[in-house]
Amino acid sequence: MIASDQVHVTNIYVQNQPDPKRVKVFVTLENNTDSLQKGTLNLALHEYGNPSAVVWESMLLGEISPSSTNTFEFDASVPGGKALGTGRLSGRR
């Protein structure tokens, strides 16, 4: 599938798992055309701050009915992965 104004990603959600070396990634696509769209969805994970160091990648065949959305699920495992820590969120006051 080729992302365009008519067929595009509306949401990406990464769900942590109890094992810090595993995550589930949910990608939601929206099809605003009048026809079924079929294609390949590619997903890659890379080291934090280093986009050229891909540590996991996968692709799946998918389809989206006309004028609808579809969510695709990837189960990613990165054996050499490390937890980044909990960090602290901050915002403007």
Side-chain angles (χ1 to χ4, degrees):
M1 270 178 252
I2 297 175
S4 67
D5 288 341
Q6 296 297 313
V7 180
H8 58 272
V9 175
T10 59
N11 191 39
I12 298 175
Y13 173 69
V14 179
Q15 181 183 64
N16 291 331
Q17 300 298 299
D19 179 351
K21 297 174 186 209
R22 299 183 63 81
V23 294
K24 287 188 178 192
V25 181
F26 300 90
V27 179
T28 302
L29 300 178
E30 183 174 4
N31 177 7
N32 292 316
T33 71
D34 293 331
S35 60
L36 178 71
Q37 299 294 311
K38 295 181 180 183
T40 303
L41 187 60
N42 298 300
L43 180 69
L45 302 178
H46 61 78
E47 289 180 1
Y48 179 73
N50 187 1
S52 64
V54 174
V55 295
W56 178 90
E57 58 188 326
S58 181
M59 69 178 181
L60 59 84
L61 297 175
E63 60 182 50
I64 311 170
S65 298
S67 301
S68 68
T69 62
N70 196 358
T71 299
F72 300 90
E73 180 179 333
F74 293 87
D75 288 309
S77 176
V78 182
K82 300 178 214 167
L84 292 176
T86 56
R88 189 174 107 191
L89 296 177
S90 63
R92 292 183 170 198
R93 291 191 160 97

